[in-house]
Amino acid sequence: MIEKPDLIICIGYIVVIVAVGLWTGLRKKAADGTSVSEQYFLAGKTLRWPMIGLALFATNISCIHLVSLAQSGFDTGLLNGNFEWMASLTLILLALFFVPFYIRSGVPTLPVFLQKRYNQACRDWLTIISIVSAVIIHIAFSLLAGGIVLETLLGINMYVSVTVIAVLVAIYTMIGGLKAVVVTESIQTIVLVGGAVVITWISFSKLGDWNVLVDTLRQNNAMDKLSMLRPHGDSSGMPWYAVLLGYPVLGIWYWCADQTIVQRVLGARNENHARAGALFCGFIKILPVFIFVVPGLLAYALVQKGVLDVSSVTSIDANGETVVNSKGIYTLMISQLLPTGLVGIVVAALLSGLMSQVAGALNSISTLVSYDLYKRFRPDAADRRLVFLGRVSVLAALVFSIVLLPLLNSYESLFNGFNDVIAHIAPPITCVFLLGVFWRKASARAAQYTLWVGSALGVLVFALNKVLPGSWFGQTPFMMMAFYLLCTCILIQVTLSCIFPVVHTAESEKLYWKNPLDPLRAVGWKGIASYKFQAALLLCIMVVLYIIFG
């Protein structure tokens, strides 16, 4: 249980964020030539690169990342940091290859982009998948992680706490739209990173220094925890080739083709700001390994040193062995290592992650429901009607997300559960976007069937994985399964594109790269602000980091 001053800080922070969100939403006015719906869903396309980068990061980094990355650091060391650093490489792809088409085509949602590149059936299917994935991945998992923390620290029932937080987020999201979401996300990113830095610094000071950490790991035969890339047969089930082959499948969908994430880019004032914002987020994504994953590794060392007491999350399994329920490790670090006052700041950071993730997902759901479902059948619908439907969809998404919490809580590792779901959703979507942007002959009919068949295969494989855990499906790591599913989807789409040859429209003819070097021919900003320089610098930094920690 946290002290009264910390509780006051947490409540005060929530009040401030809700107030800022409401103030932003109530004071905005539609710009000349900008519709009410465009102002609500896409912030009137006025977002600049710093806000885009911060909002991308905030929408990605939720409470589940703080809690589960610390858990993974405790269990497997730096391994899951690959999901953070590989994201930087994927953001380079977003900035260089996808952003130009998204901005130039002026689409409000990614399903609309698929309609322009392929056909209406592809748009409809992606809309459904995007809504489902936003509810499960971006909202339900985040609420679960936040509920676990709040229940442990405050003693409040998980469902009560997440419902209250969700309702507060829904209020300013429904009223303020994307502008309110992005403004609050920018604030929350700063608070979230600040809180994570605080607990990392305190943990280091309790342990001593990096050499003490290394010595502790060596004494416990756990030096592999410092390695990001593991050999074949590693007990984690994620060797180096699974990272290199499997992550791009998840990452390209998540960062380049998921409405919840890309909506921040779609709200950019122009292509330069969109590209710079994506690359800015890529630089920020270097931080999570050091401020989210490393604290879990430090917690492991502190337990071995007897500084951190894990008895409250320890139990005896059926074999008589002591087992630590590491889901609560971050909460233990907060309650045992931080002094009064700082606890409130770090819990506020956790709430920042939870609120920003949920707000971003709710805004994307409202956009998809209004533009891609309702307006699909009512093309003459008034702007205010679209906004009203978007707000109704926000409430429906929250209710369904809360209902899912008991099912998702069955995962031992929240982070692995989160990515396990993505691994079975992403392959067909990654496939149709990649081939659509890079291959002229990718046809509409082929993409349509690939989405249908690929999604059905993903659901089937996911079910077999859970029903038959001893089978090949159950034993194959989810990262490699994502790669196998992608290969299957590519084979399907290429084969069907030969059977049903492409017939380009005037629009679709402009939505693929005729030459892989074409994305680099755009002029853009000059000097160090150049997207080419920024992308090259980010790539070099990532190579150096992998050389050091690989």
Side-chain angles (χ1 to χ4, degrees):
M1 297 291 289
I2 64 175
E3 301 294 330
K4 187 175 180 179
D6 298 306
L7 187 60
I8 293 173
I9 291 174
C10 295
I11 295 173
Y13 173 77
I14 293 173
V15 171
V16 168
I17 286 296
V18 173
V20 169
L22 291 174
W23 176 76
T24 304
L26 293 172
R27 71 183 290 270
K28 62 180 175 56
K29 294 181 180 179
D32 292 340
T34 302
S35 66
V36 173
S37 59
E38 186 175 272
Q39 183 72 20
Y40 182 81
F41 295 115
L42 296 175
K45 296 196 173 184
T46 60
L47 301 182
R48 298 176 182 271
W49 69 267
M51 196 171 287
I52 293 170
L54 291 171
L56 281 170
F57 183 76
T59 303
N60 164 239
I61 295 296
S62 67
C63 188
I64 188 174
H65 285 75
L66 272 76
V67 173
S68 59
L69 283 176
Q71 178 190 6
S72 71
F74 184 88
D75 293 336
T76 61
L78 301 182
L79 179 63
N80 279 344
N82 283 299
F83 289 93
E84 304 306 307
W85 284 356
M86 291 290 285
S88 295
L89 303 178
T90 313
L91 281 159
I92 293 176
L93 294 180
L94 173 63
L96 296 185
F97 298 105
F98 290 92
V99 158
F101 289 144
Y102 294 160
I103 300 301
R104 293 173 196 174
S105 60
V107 296
T109 67
L110 294 184
V112 174
F113 175 78
L114 276 197
Q115 179 186 15
K116 290 175 179 288
R117 176 58 181 88
Y118 292 121
N119 61 19
Q120 182 67 55
C122 291
R123 174 182 178 175
D124 293 343
W125 191 254
L126 183 62
T127 299
I128 295 170
I129 296 299
S130 297
I131 292 173
V132 171
S133 64
V135 169
I136 298 174
I137 294 169
H138 295 293
I139 301 178
F141 268 112
S142 294
L143 290 177
L144 175 59
I148 291 172
V149 170
L150 294 174
E151 186 171 46
T152 305
L153 288 176
L154 305 179
I156 302 173
N157 178 271
M158 180 173 71
Y159 295 98
V160 173
S161 61
V162 298
T163 300
V164 171
I165 295 294
V167 168
L168 292 174
V169 174
I171 289 172
Y172 72 75
T173 303
M174 290 166 63
I175 292 176
L178 182 60
K179 187 76 173 188
V181 170
V182 171
V183 169
T184 54
E185 281 178 339
S186 299
I187 298 171
Q188 288 163 327
T189 299
I190 297 170
V191 175
L192 186 149
V193 171
V197 168
V198 165
I199 199 164
T200 304
W201 176 70
I202 294 289
S203 299
F204 257 119
S205 65
K206 294 286 185 180
L207 186 63
D209 55 35
W210 186 262
N211 292 328
V212 175
L213 172 64
V214 173
D215 289 341
T216 303
L217 294 176
R218 185 178 291 113
Q219 292 167 12
N220 289 274
N221 296 317
M223 285 297 290
D224 62 322
K225 289 181 180 288
L226 290 177
S227 176
M228 298 274 288
L229 300 177
R230 306 290 175 84
H232 173 72
D234 187 74
S235 59
S236 67
M238 201 163 74
W240 64 270
Y241 55 84
V243 173
L244 296 181
L245 296 176
Y247 180 81
V249 185
L250 284 66
I252 291 174
W253 169 74
Y254 188 89
W255 289 104
C256 304
D258 178 32
Q259 178 67 26
T260 300
I261 295 295
V262 180
Q263 186 157 344
R264 282 101 198 91
V265 175
L266 298 180
R269 62 187 299 133
N270 57 44
E271 187 176 312
N272 284 325
H273 279 281
R275 278 179 150 167
L279 292 170
F280 179 41
C281 182
F283 284 103
I284 304 176
K285 287 294 285 181
I286 295 172
L287 292 176
V289 170
F290 301 108
I291 61 176
F292 298 155
V293 181
V294 167
L297 186 58
L298 294 172
Y300 173 84
L302 290 171
V303 170
Q304 305 307 316
K305 290 288 187 182
V307 178
L308 187 65
D309 180 15
V310 294
S311 59
S312 61
V313 292
T314 300
S315 59
I316 306 298
D317 65 11
N319 299 320
E321 297 181 0
T322 302
V323 178
V324 176
N325 180 9
S326 53
K327 281 183 185 178
I329 201 67
Y330 202 75
T331 307
L332 288 181
M333 294 176 71
I334 293 172
S335 60
Q336 294 184 28
L337 302 181
L338 301 184
T340 300
L342 283 181
V343 171
I345 293 173
V346 175
V347 174
L350 287 167
L351 292 175
S352 288
L354 170 60
M355 296 170 74
S356 62
Q357 178 87 339
V358 172
L362 290 176
N363 185 254
S364 72
I365 289 171
S366 66
T367 307
L368 290 165
V369 169
S370 297
Y371 273 109
D372 293 288
L373 291 182
Y374 188 74
K375 198 168 184 178
R376 159 93 159 81
F377 300 101
R378 297 286 182 87
D380 298 326
D383 275 356
R384 296 192 181 278
R385 181 66 177 174
L386 292 177
V387 172
F388 172 75
L389 262 295
R391 288 169 174 164
V392 171
S393 67
V394 164
L395 294 177
L398 280 177
V399 171
F400 189 65
S401 299
I402 293 172
V403 171
L404 285 174
L405 296 186
L407 177 63
L408 301 181
N409 198 27
S410 62
Y411 279 105
E412 290 184 10
S413 167
L414 294 181
F415 197 72
N416 285 345
F418 176 87
N419 286 292
D420 185 25
V421 174
I422 294 177
H424 294 85
I425 291 175
I429 302 173
T430 296
C431 174
V432 297
F433 270 85
L434 277 179
L435 293 184
V437 168
F438 289 104
W439 190 41
R440 181 184 185 279
K441 296 183 179 180
S443 71
R445 186 77 65 85
Q448 175 183 332
Y449 291 149
T450 300
L451 286 173
W452 292 352
V453 176
S455 297
L457 283 175
V459 172
L460 177 62
V461 170
F462 184 81
L464 290 173
N465 182 307
K466 300 297 176 283
V467 175
L468 303 172
S471 66
W472 177 82
F473 295 99
Q475 296 300 309
T476 301
F478 67 84
M479 294 280 276
M480 287 307 300
M481 186 59 76
F483 176 69
Y484 297 146
L485 287 170
L486 175 68
C487 291
T488 303
C489 290
I490 290 175
L491 179 61
I492 292 171
Q493 188 170 359
V494 170
T495 302
L496 292 178
S497 291
C498 295
I499 298 173
F500 306 107
V502 65
V503 178
H504 277 293
T505 63
E507 251 181 345
S508 67
E509 190 68 50
K510 301 175 184 177
L511 296 180
Y512 65 87
W513 294 114
K514 297 172 178 60
N515 186 311
L517 296 179
D518 283 351
L520 302 179
R521 295 193 173 114
V523 178
W525 291 333
K526 304 293 184 181
I528 60 173
S530 164
Y531 70 88
K532 299 175 188 177
F533 174 79
Q534 296 290 337
L537 177 62
L538 180 56
L539 181 61
C540 289
I541 291 174
M542 298 316 303
V543 169
V544 171
L545 286 173
Y546 267 104
I547 290 173
I548 296 173
F549 291 97

